[in-house]
């Protein structure tokens, strides 16, 4: 779960990390009033979770009320990479002389947390990591030992941060690690961490992603979730149903159980010349109702021309799935999109008997099912 | 022969009184697994599926001479349950639980470096030696005893590939589901080493997926150490960067690491053919035997 910038900034500020003064606004008048209150220059920043907001016109620096009005008017209501902007953060501009990067994440290869510092902030840090990996200093943390101040100092001095601000930067890094640790962070980043002309450090951006599996013990952050989810309507619907769902741009709808097998089904659709419309994992042990919901989801995607349902039952039972498919389809006068079903594993024979073959096409192997679904999609497309 | 588990393995089931634990302990027993005890705090003295329940893993292992544990404990308590298994006399812990917080797993990972106990999982279907023992939730009926070792990050994909093999009469020594989380116990390299050292495993299937660099490390290991022929499969060729495909570990990062192509290239460079379809993986394995 990804927090919005304004949420992450609040969390950082509450922990004592210096942030610029800012106010959230959902209309032009409030945005201008906030700008007047903070004092110019201010930045007006779209609160959407897409990368490269600045380049896409979602961040504007303004010097007076007229400019603030114009910028807020342009940004509120705009579509940024497909996401509607309904809030802006109005934030005091920082008079900076230097941009640093600090971050904490889980190094999955090492299986331990890593704190990072770089003097090359303000740009895409992943590009820096690729072209000049040594420009980012990494300090691995033993989670049972915790992060100690010397480790933060070591990383900061190693990175070549100027000496007069080194202690302040180390302190921000230490606080960031503590936050990441306490709040079950997946990633916590400040890019850029600005050094001002007064030689102070200020977090000009804030990224905080929370481990979704840990939300049960982060009630305060879990409450932010609904707000932070946003985005695609179908993805919001999937959240509601509790599905793992990713929308893609093809026309073959895919439903299956288990992440690896669903990914494989997507790959096979591509292999046989089709284009996957989505990834939808109904999970293990799904009952008839979940199956009905899954079909409802995929049918409501207008890009979908054909559907393939691929279940390999371990704890999921073929007869349950078959009942769900029948229930979902019997409600229609006409089946909205052709459905191909392949059942294997636990109770697949019972499932095949239950399936109403007037409503679906049944295939025995994964390869045949996918090829049939791709062919169905091509037919509809013509 | 087999790796890690066989009909001598004595199994304690942690969480045997819960819905999943009870059901799957029953299935394991039905398959012929030697389940000797359950362990659930506060439930000592009960009996489930004809098996005695103890309050602690220590007691269960001591009283029933258990040497392996299967963890069916909900995510919020799972790390503690794994710690308990690692600190007990059992040599092998298999964690089925899905959804354990990653930071908990980092602590488990640290603990693993301090003990001799092996962990499989979490978020995995478990391990099976066909005809002898299954520790986990794998559907036993699709497996057949034979000479192919299988290691996979994904449960249902394992079933798919196994069924492609079994349908051709190709059986398995042992199949290990290592799990789809970012931080796991036994990884590809560990499993490949076990199969390489097993005289009865004549070929190995390795099913990976996008995310992380475990498959690339496995490729290097195969190049250096493994003489047994290996065939691979990588799921997620069509996954877009930055989108998590179900498994917490299955994500191509923005900078392009963890892509299917990089894994396929690494495996090919190590002489491992990678099938475009599960059927093609079975073709490769058949050609090895």
């Amino acid at each position: 779960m990804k927090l919005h910038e304004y949420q992450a900034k609040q969390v950082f500020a509450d922990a004592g990390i210096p942030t610029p003064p800012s106010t959230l606004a959902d209309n032009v008048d409030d945005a201008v009033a906030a700008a007047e209150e903070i004092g110019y220059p201010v930045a007006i920043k779209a609160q959407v979770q897409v990368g490269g907001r600045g380049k896409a016109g979602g961040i504007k620096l303004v010097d007076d009320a007229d400019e603030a009005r114009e910028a807020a008017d342009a940004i509120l209501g705009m579509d940024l990479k497909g996401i509607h902007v309904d809030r802006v953060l109005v934030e005091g501009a920082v008079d900076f002389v230097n941009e640093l990067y600090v971050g904490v994440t889980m190094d999955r290869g090492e299986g331990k947390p890593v704190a990072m510092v770089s003097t090359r902030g303000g740009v895409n840090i992943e590009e820096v990591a690729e072209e000049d990996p040594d420009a980012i200093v990494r300090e691995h943390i033993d989670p049972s030992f915790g992060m100690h101040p010397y480790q933060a100092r070591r990383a900061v001095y190693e990175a070549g941060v100027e000496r007069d601000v080194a202690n302040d930067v180390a302190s921000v890094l230490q606080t960031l690690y503590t936050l990441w640790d306490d709040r079950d962070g997946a990633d916590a980043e400040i890019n850029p961490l600005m050094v001002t002309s007064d030689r102070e450090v200020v977090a000009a951006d804030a990224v905080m992603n929370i481990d979704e599996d840990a939300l049960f013990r982060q009630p305060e952050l879990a409450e932010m979730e609904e707000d932070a989810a946003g985005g695609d309507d179908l993805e919001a619907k999937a959240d509601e149903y509790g599905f793992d769902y990713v929308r893609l741009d093809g026309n073959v709808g895919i439903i299956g159980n288990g992440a690896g097998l669903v990914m494989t089904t997507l790959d096979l659709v591509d292999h046989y010349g089709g284009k996957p419309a989505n990834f939808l994992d109904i999970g293990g042990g799904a009952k008839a109702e979940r199956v009905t919901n899954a079909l409802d989801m995929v049918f409501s995607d207008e890009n979908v021309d054909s559907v393939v349902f691929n279940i390999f039952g371990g704890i999921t039972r073929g007869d349950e799935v078959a009942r769900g498919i029948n229930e979902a389809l019997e409600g229609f006068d006409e089946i909205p999109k052709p459905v191909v079903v392949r059942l294997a594993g636990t109770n697949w024979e019972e499932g095949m008997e239950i399936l109403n073959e007037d409503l679906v096409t049944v295939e025995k192997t994964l390869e045949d099912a996918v090829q049939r679904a791709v062919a169905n999609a091509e037919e509809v497309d013509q | 022969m087999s790796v890690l588990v066989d009909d001598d393995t004595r199994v304690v089931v942690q969480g045997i009184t819960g819905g999943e634990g009870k059901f799957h302990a029953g299935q394991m027993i039905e398959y012929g697994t030697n389940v000797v005890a359950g362990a659930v705090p506060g439930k000592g003295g009960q009996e489930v599926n004809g098996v005695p329940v103890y309050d602690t893993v220590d007691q269960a292992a001591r009283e029933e001479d258990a040497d392996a544990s299967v963890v069916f404990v909900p995510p919020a308590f799972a790390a503690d349950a794994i710690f308990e298994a690692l600190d007990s006399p059992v040599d092998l812990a298999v964690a089925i639980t899905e959804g354990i917080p990653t930071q908990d797993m980092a602590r488990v990972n640290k603990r693993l470096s301090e003990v001799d106990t092996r962990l499989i999982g979490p978020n995995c279907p478990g391990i099976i030696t066909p005809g002898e023992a299954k520790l986990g939730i794998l559907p036993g009926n699709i497996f057949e005893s034979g000479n192919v070792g299988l290691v996979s990050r994904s449960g249902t994909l394992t079933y798919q590939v196994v069924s492609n093999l079994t349908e051709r009469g190709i059986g398995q020594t042992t199949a290990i589901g290592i799990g789809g989380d970012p931080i796991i116990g036994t990884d590809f390299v560990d499993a490949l080493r076990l199969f390489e050292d097993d005289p009865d495993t004549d070929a190995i299937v390795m099913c990976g997926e996008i995310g992380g660099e475990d498959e690339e490390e496995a490729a290097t290991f195969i190049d250096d150490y493994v003489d047994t022929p290996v065939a691979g499969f990588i799921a997620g060729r069509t996954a877009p960067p930055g989108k998590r495909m179900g498994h917490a570990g299955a994500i191509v990062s923005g900078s392009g690491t963890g892509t299917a192509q990089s894994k396929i290239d690494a495996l090919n460079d190590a002489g491992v053919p990678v099938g475009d379809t599960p059927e093609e993986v079975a073709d490769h394995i058949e050609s090895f035997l």
Side-chain angles (χ1 to χ4, degrees), chain A residues 108 142 180 211 217 257 267 342, chain B residues 102 104 156 160 236 238 249:
Chain A
R108 60 187 283 180
D142 168 352
W180 179 89
D211 178 1
R217 61 186 179 200
N257 65 325
D267 294 349
R342 182 263 184 156
Chain B
T102 309
D104 290 5
T156 47
Q160 175 65 48
T238 46

Side-chain angles (χ1 to χ4, degrees), chain A residues 106 108 110-113 126 130 142-144 180-182 184-185 211-214 216-217 235 244 246 248 257-261 263-264 266-268 270-272 276 279 281 310 312-315 342 345-346 366-367, chain B residues 24 76 99-104 106-107 109-110 137 139 142 153-154 156-157 159-160 163-164 181-183 209-212 233-238 240 243-247 249-251 254-255 276-280:
Chain A
M106 186 66 79
R108 60 187 283 180
E110 294 286 325
K112 40 174 92 150
E126 286 181 337
E130 215 146 89
D142 168 352
S144 51
W180 179 89
D181 189 47
D182 289 348
D184 277 298
D211 178 1
E212 305 207 0
D213 288 333
F216 69 87
R217 61 186 179 200
E235 293 189 350
D244 277 319
V246 177
L248 303 163
N257 65 325
L261 186 58
M263 273 193 274
T264 300
L266 263 67
D267 294 349
L268 289 193
D270 179 72
H271 179 72
Y272 291 117
F279 168 100
D281 179 4
N310 177 40
F312 206 118
I315 49 178
R342 182 263 184 156
T346 309
L366 171 59
E367 287 82 1
Chain B
H24 289 292
I100 303 178
T102 309
Q103 294 195 4
D104 290 5
R107 292 183 175 90
N109 187 52
K110 164 71 178 172
I137 62 174
I142 61 170
R153 261 166 81 182
S154 155
T156 47
L157 178 57
Y159 313 158
Q160 175 65 48
S163 73
N164 288 49
D181 276 2
I183 301 179
E209 62 188 31
I210 51 163
F233 186 79
I234 301 292
R237 296 170 191 233
T238 46
K243 294 278 189 182
R244 203 174 71 123
M245 304 302 266
H247 282 163
I251 185 163
S255 62
D276 282 344
T277 66
E279 206 45 49
E280 274 184 37

Side-chain angles (χ1 to χ4, degrees), chain B residues 167-188:
Chain B
E167 271 162 25
R168 300 180 185 211
I170 302 173
Q172 304 88 39
T173 44
T174 299
I176 309 175
I178 58 175
D181 276 2
I183 301 179
I184 54 175
T186 298
D187 61 12
F188 280 123

Side-chain angles (χ1 to χ4, degrees), chain B residues 90-111:
Chain B
V90 304
D91 310 314
L92 172 69
V94 181
I96 308 302
T97 312
E98 178 178 359
I100 303 178
T102 309
Q103 294 195 4
D104 290 5
M105 281 311 302
R107 292 183 175 90
V108 168
N109 187 52
K110 164 71 178 172
R111 187 65 184 147

Side-chain angles (χ1 to χ4, degrees), chain A residues 9-32:
Chain A
K9 278 225 169 98
Q10 191 60 52
V11 171
F12 287 7
D14 288 349
I17 293 174
T19 53
S22 65
T23 304
L24 189 69
D26 62 4
N27 65 71
V28 175
D29 287 342
D30 285 359
V32 176

